[in-house]
Amino acid sequence: QLTMSLNSSTPSNEENSEAPKRNTECLESLELQTPSSFQDNPLQQLQLASQEILEKAKKSGRSKCPRCSSSRMFYCYTCFVPVETVPTKEIPTVKLPLKIDIIKHPNETDGKSTAVHAKLLAPDDVTIYKYPCIPEYKEKRHEIALIFPGPNSVSVKDIAFHLQKYTKKGVHDNDDDCSREPLLKQAKLEPKEEKNLNECITRNRSGGTRLKKIIFIDSTWNQTNKIITDERLQGLLQIELKTRKTCFWRHQKGKPDTYLSTIEAIYYFLVDYHQEILKEDYKGQYDNLLFFFSFMYTLIKNAKCCAGKE
């Protein structure tokens, strides 16, 4: 269960008979806040690991990064490691069903990006690249998709169907010994062989075994054009997420509240993938990807509320 407290501390200059009323009003305004109210706030229902270590780190203040010795709060956003007051063993680790590459725009401010949250919480499955230093994806495009809304984007549930198009064009793994020829061209098989072949084809056509990597672009909307038009990303299947409202406190000015932060986009994609492709009930398996995000969200919103900024 979510362990953070929604109660805000009362400022020292308000220590009088009006303090209880002040706290009540603060909480009421917090519940009515935008862009996402607590009444329909998905963060409220997350199944998170205990955030006690973050509470302790908050009280002790900034700490050193164990690698570069920079002064940071909670984690170092350049080394992708927790600070000394947040032992790695005390933060949750999330295992993802596929690999994630995050392509970060060079002008995206390190300290403002939530991409590092994914690397901290799923270190074995997430890689962050700073553009233009990104991999070549062409040879593996039959097992890779890019999260980006556009005229040719497809929904998560249609990933498997659209990736088959790359297979039909002859783009596939060399170690895949399953026949790619149309059934009419196959030689007559014994019943047992035919059963094995059909099972193999069915397995290959399932999205859960086909898609191996998903790419996210970490930048403001105005900066994405340079990355999305890079020749190394051309020809990749593009995925558009379901519409959700962001809870990010650094929302892009003038943009709709459906523009998600990077960690939100990763989280929501995985929830959809789990349900639509893996065909399994979602029981909070990836909730801890929002471990830092949810804590900072409440911390910042509470501070703004009680400072009279909301």
Side-chain angles (χ1 to χ4, degrees):
Q1 296 296 319
L2 194 61
T3 57
M4 69 180 74
S5 171
L6 299 183
N7 293 314
S8 305
S9 58
T10 307
S12 57
N13 63 353
E14 296 274 337
E15 293 179 355
N16 51 44
S17 59
E18 293 297 315
K21 181 180 179 181
R22 170 78 177 189
N23 276 343
T24 301
E25 292 175 348
C26 181
L27 269 179
E28 288 175 350
S29 65
L30 192 61
E31 290 173 353
L32 295 174
Q33 68 190 320
T34 58
S36 179
S37 72
F38 269 99
Q39 294 171 4
D40 62 353
N41 175 15
L43 302 184
Q44 194 176 31
Q45 305 301 323
L46 295 176
Q47 299 179 44
L48 298 176
S50 171
Q51 294 173 318
E52 184 179 358
I53 187 62
L54 299 183
E55 289 283 2
K56 291 180 180 178
K58 180 190 69 173
K59 293 177 181 178
S60 60
R62 298 168 73 88
S63 180
K64 283 187 178 181
C65 167
R67 292 186 183 176
C68 68
S69 297
S70 297
S71 178
R72 302 280 191 253
M73 179 64 82
F74 302 130
Y75 55 82
C76 180
Y77 44 76
T78 52
C79 299
F80 310 142
V81 295
V83 295
E84 293 177 348
T85 54
V86 184
T88 302
K89 64 181 181 180
E90 293 195 42
I91 63 175
T93 300
V94 184
K95 181 61 182 174
L96 307 185
L98 36 65
K99 300 298 182 181
I100 288 179
D101 281 2
I102 301 173
I103 300 176
K104 187 175 178 294
H105 193 282
N107 293 338
E108 183 72 5
T109 305
D110 291 340
K112 293 183 178 181
S113 171
T114 61
V116 63
H117 296 184
K119 182 62 179 175
L120 285 163
L121 297 162
D124 296 334
D125 298 317
V126 175
T127 305
I128 298 178
Y129 297 95
K130 181 170 287 190
Y131 188 82
C133 299
I134 66 174
E136 293 285 348
Y137 293 109
K138 186 176 181 180
E139 295 303 317
K140 295 288 186 179
R141 63 179 182 173
H142 61 293
E143 59 188 34
I144 299 174
L146 170 67
I147 299 295
F148 190 81
N152 299 318
S153 297
V154 304
S155 65
V156 172
K157 65 183 177 66
D158 292 328
I159 289 175
F161 172 77
H162 287 278
L163 282 179
Q164 284 182 36
K165 296 177 182 178
Y166 296 111
T167 297
K168 291 177 181 179
K169 292 176 182 177
V171 183
H172 56 80
D173 290 338
N174 294 328
D175 60 355
D176 187 352
D177 60 356
C178 296
S179 174
R180 299 290 183 176
E181 291 294 317
L183 292 178
L184 292 177
K185 291 185 179 181
Q186 295 167 0
K188 186 175 181 180
L189 302 172
E190 294 296 323
K192 184 177 180 180
E193 292 176 325
E194 185 173 2
K195 179 182 178 182
N196 291 339
L197 175 61
N198 289 336
E199 288 178 352
C200 191
I201 293 174
T202 300
R203 185 173 65 253
N204 280 331
R205 285 180 179 173
S206 67
T209 58
R210 182 74 52 79
L211 186 64
K212 294 183 179 179
K213 180 175 290 185
I214 197 79
I215 302 170
F216 291 84
I217 296 176
D218 184 41
S219 74
T220 62
W221 181 253
N222 295 332
Q223 294 173 337
T224 58
N225 188 61
K226 184 176 182 179
I227 297 178
I228 199 64
T229 55
D230 189 288
E231 62 179 10
R232 290 167 290 184
L233 298 181
Q234 302 311 300
L236 292 178
L237 179 65
Q238 293 185 4
I239 309 298
E240 186 165 7
L241 300 179
K242 294 178 183 177
T243 300
R244 274 130 168 161
K245 291 184 179 182
T246 185
C247 293
F248 195 32
W249 49 93
R250 290 194 182 101
H251 185 63
Q252 297 180 44
K253 187 176 181 180
K255 301 299 181 183
D257 59 6
T258 52
Y259 280 34
L260 304 174
S261 65
T262 301
I263 193 63
E264 287 177 302
I266 292 172
Y267 169 74
Y268 285 126
F269 166 78
L270 289 170
V271 172
D272 291 346
Y273 181 85
H274 194 85
Q275 296 172 324
E276 302 284 358
I277 302 298
L278 301 184
K279 302 297 183 182
E280 298 178 12
D281 292 336
Y282 183 69
K283 299 179 180 178
Q285 291 90 335
Y286 315 120
D287 283 8
N288 274 320
L289 285 175
L290 299 178
F291 180 75
F292 290 104
F293 184 89
S294 61
F295 184 84
M296 295 167 72
Y297 170 86
T298 300
L299 188 68
I300 292 169
K301 289 298 181 180
N302 283 351
K304 287 184 176 180
C305 168
C306 291
K309 294 181 180 180
E310 293 273 355

